[in-house]
Amino acid sequence: MAPRGIAAPGQPAGGLNPVGWQNLLTKVPMTSSTIEAIFARQQDARWRVAATSADQRKAKLKGLLEALMAHRAEAQAALAADFRKAPEEVDLTELYPVISELKDALRHLSRWMRPRRVPTPIGLLGALGTIVHEPRGVVLIIAPWNYPIYLTLGPLVSALAAGNCAVIKPSEFTPHTNAFLRKLLSGLFPEEEVALVEGEAETAQALLALPFDHIFFTGSPTVGKVVMKAAAEHLSSVTLELGGKSPVLVDADADLENAARKIAWGKCVNAGQTCVAPDYVLVHVRVHDALVEALKRALVDFYGAEADTRRLSPDLARIINPRHHARLLGLLQDSRGLVVFGGENDPATNYLGPTLLTEVDPASPIMQEEIFGPLLPILKVPDMDAAVAFVNARPKPLALYVFSGDRRNAESLIARTTAGGGCINDTLLHFAHTGLPTGGVNTSGFGKAHGRHGFETFSNARGILRQRSRYSAIQLMYPPYTGFARRLIDLTLKHF
């Protein structure tokens, strides 16, 4: 009998009915003309959708929430088929973040949509200023393969809350999850409001040729540049959630057991295929060896003491496909480092075990590329000043994590570095906090998501000045510019 969560030979992972999955996986190919027709229908519907009330938008969000909860087992099965991902990890890292976004929007959407008064400068006395958040219109969401439910539906929640129509392009690497999403969304929304478009690079190119009002892309910096160039042809606004090498800084006074468990978990969730996963560790030389031993203990606790038990662990996901598995093996072989834990792999199942490396050459490929797998280089630094210099000499990361027993030291490290987000004495969890903006900076992306920040991303903040009387002070300074008008202008410049 296969271990829990691992399919026996010849059987689909997660206990899925093979006939049912074949039916779900059958889809009509999307031609350019089909994509253009969907876009045209959404353009026709955009003003109707934009005019929806808070209650109408909440009804859509509530329907999505109820459907996700009702089809939880199907989501777990789909991700087991694509990743051999444990159902508990699906709940924690795919469903919970979306459900949290939905609940947050349901609680606060009425307030987000309400026009917001702003103070009026004294020079415009008598006028009333308000900010109105209006929908952008028809938006494109290009989602990655690593969290195919969360990183598809999370942006969709914000787009729907803001009153947009949306076209979604998921990754072709997760066909089972795409089938689940297609079934879920087609049962909730008409295609002129939400459409799922599947395909490979040609499909993405056909979509990017269209004049979307906003494009939300999650993926690599390389593809992000392609998206941005395509958006520039139509002056479409963009949000880019990219990657990068997210460092962990461990000071000498950190609680090492606590730090090790959190780093190990953050690194190995989804087998390290997480955009904000710890990419490498910079640890104070005095506690380097102790941290390495604590990391070993944490990984044994999580996934087993022996290579075989880790390989069969139901709690460790697999690498998405053979190409990415081979890429990770190449990084491991070229790291010029010492493997002090793990290193085992099985190309037949795309398995790569949690691996700790020390004595890594900073110039090696593993320290230049985003790893996106369960390989963790650990580098000694003489002090945290050296760690800060190391981080700041490289492209700005998507996340940065600090472990320290001194609050002021931790805050100093945050203040002297730049990253899209991060945590003090934890990893990953800032990404699940709906009150915090998430996104990158420069090479790790730009634009923010989640909660109100996501609502604002998919909205145009429109400033409206309402003149409440027939006359205003500015009229006294209309041409012709008499001596009186010039004196008023001088007074305005000096005092107002």
Side-chain angles (χ1 to χ4, degrees):
M1 181 177 178
R4 178 175 60 84
I6 304 297
Q11 296 297 319
L16 288 169
N17 182 295
V19 175
W21 267 121
Q22 288 303 319
N23 291 338
L24 282 173
L25 290 169
T26 301
K27 58 182 182 292
V28 178
M30 286 282 184
T31 63
S32 294
S33 59
T34 303
I35 290 169
E36 290 169 4
I38 291 170
F39 180 75
R41 289 169 60 200
Q42 292 206 349
Q43 283 189 311
D44 289 341
R46 63 168 293 183
W47 294 110
R48 173 181 58 79
V49 174
T52 51
S53 66
D55 285 342
Q56 289 172 313
R57 296 181 194 180
K58 285 180 185 178
K60 294 180 183 180
L61 298 176
K62 187 177 180 183
L64 180 55
L65 174 61
E66 291 173 348
L68 269 179
M69 293 300 292
H71 296 284
R72 176 181 169 189
E74 289 179 55
Q76 293 171 345
L79 283 154
D82 285 330
F83 285 95
R84 293 194 177 186
K85 198 165 181 176
E88 296 86 354
E89 192 166 295
V90 173
D91 287 346
L92 285 175
T93 65
E94 294 272 13
L95 299 184
Y96 170 73
V98 180
I99 289 167
S100 181
E101 290 277 353
L102 284 162
K103 290 179 177 177
D104 187 63
L106 288 168
R107 280 192 297 268
H108 301 299
L109 182 57
S110 296
R111 179 167 55 83
W112 295 346
M113 290 178 63
R114 197 174 299 136
R116 181 163 60 89
R117 289 268 303 267
V118 294
T120 300
I122 194 166
L124 300 176
L125 196 63
L128 178 67
T130 59
I131 298 172
V132 178
H133 285 91
E134 60 184 18
R136 289 191 180 272
V138 181
V139 303
L140 173 62
I141 297 169
I142 303 178
W145 53 263
N146 58 321
Y147 287 91
I149 292 180
Y150 175 32
L151 296 179
T152 300
L153 298 186
L156 179 63
V157 171
S158 297
L160 294 176
N164 297 283
C165 299
V167 176
I168 299 168
K169 165 62 175 75
S171 168
E172 65 273 21
F173 291 168
T174 53
H176 301 88
T177 308
N178 294 351
F180 165 76
L181 289 170
R182 182 163 19 98
K183 177 182 177 184
L184 182 85
L185 296 174
S186 63
L188 291 170
F189 305 106
E191 198 170 57
E192 64 267 21
E193 293 186 16
V194 177
L196 186 78
V197 174
E198 295 177 74
E200 299 188 14
E202 296 79 7
T203 301
Q205 290 167 1
L207 286 166
L208 290 171
L210 297 172
F212 283 95
D213 297 295
H214 188 75
I215 300 172
F216 191 106
F217 170 78
T218 307
S220 71
T222 300
V223 181
K225 292 176 183 178
V226 174
V227 171
M228 196 168 177
K229 286 179 182 177
E233 291 297 317
H234 305 290
L235 295 180
S236 300
S237 56
V238 295
T239 300
L240 301 180
E241 295 235 352
L242 309 178
K245 296 187 73 63
S246 297
V248 183
L249 280 58
V250 181
D251 206 348
D253 61 358
D255 180 336
L256 297 182
E257 291 296 330
N258 178 59
R261 292 184 68 83
K262 291 174 177 176
I263 295 167
W265 175 77
K267 184 61 181 179
C268 293
V269 163
N270 203 36
Q273 299 166 115
T274 303
C275 57
V276 290
D279 201 89
Y280 63 94
V281 177
L282 299 173
V283 55
H284 196 291
V285 63
R286 292 208 312 264
V287 295
H288 171 272
D289 293 351
L291 178 67
V292 169
E293 293 305 314
L295 283 165
K296 291 178 184 178
R297 289 191 293 272
L299 291 171
V300 167
D301 285 347
F302 292 165
Y303 305 114
E306 303 296 332
D308 286 345
T309 60
R310 289 194 292 274
R311 185 173 62 83
L312 295 175
S313 171
D315 301 318
L316 185 65
R318 298 299 184 262
I319 305 305
I320 183 65
N321 59 34
R323 180 168 66 87
H324 281 277
H325 187 268
R327 180 187 66 83
L328 288 166
L329 288 184
L331 288 179
L332 179 60
Q333 291 161 4
D334 295 340
S335 67
R336 301 193 286 277
L338 178 65
V339 174
V340 294
F341 183 90
E344 62 274 359
N345 72 89
D346 180 9
T349 59
N350 295 327
Y351 168 77
L352 181 59
T355 303
L356 304 177
L357 298 108
T358 62
E359 310 298 334
V360 175
D361 182 351
S364 65
I366 202 169
M367 290 302 299
Q368 307 303 314
E369 301 176 24
E370 183 179 9
I371 296 172
F372 229 62
L375 311 176
L376 184 62
I378 305 164
L379 288 75
K380 301 174 186 175
V381 290
D383 51 43
M384 289 297 104
D385 289 339
V388 167
F390 189 96
V391 170
N392 289 342
R394 286 157 176 77
K396 297 170 184 175
L398 185 57
L400 182 143
Y401 305 110
V402 172
F403 286 87
S404 174
D406 186 301
R407 179 180 61 82
R408 287 176 298 180
N409 286 347
E411 291 175 353
S412 172
L413 292 172
I414 294 293
R416 291 189 288 147
T417 55
T418 298
C423 303
I424 295 174
N425 293 329
D426 220 318
T427 63
L428 306 192
L429 296 186
H430 68 293
F431 211 77
H433 192 314
T434 55
L436 294 176
T438 61
V441 55
N442 294 121
T443 52
S444 57
F446 45 81
K448 299 299 178 184
H450 296 181
R452 176 158 197 151
H453 307 282
F455 171 83
E456 292 178 348
T457 286
F458 284 100
S459 301
N460 173 44
R462 187 174 182 176
I464 306 293
L465 183 142
R466 182 182 297 114
Q467 196 57 261
R468 295 188 292 181
S469 64
R470 183 176 178 182
Y471 299 102
S472 61
I474 194 70
Q475 289 173 284
L476 298 173
M477 291 174 269
Y478 284 177
Y481 296 120
T482 63
F484 175 71
R486 286 196 296 271
R487 286 193 296 274
L488 282 180
I489 291 170
D490 289 343
L491 287 169
T492 300
L493 292 174
K494 185 174 182 180
H495 297 292
F496 304 125

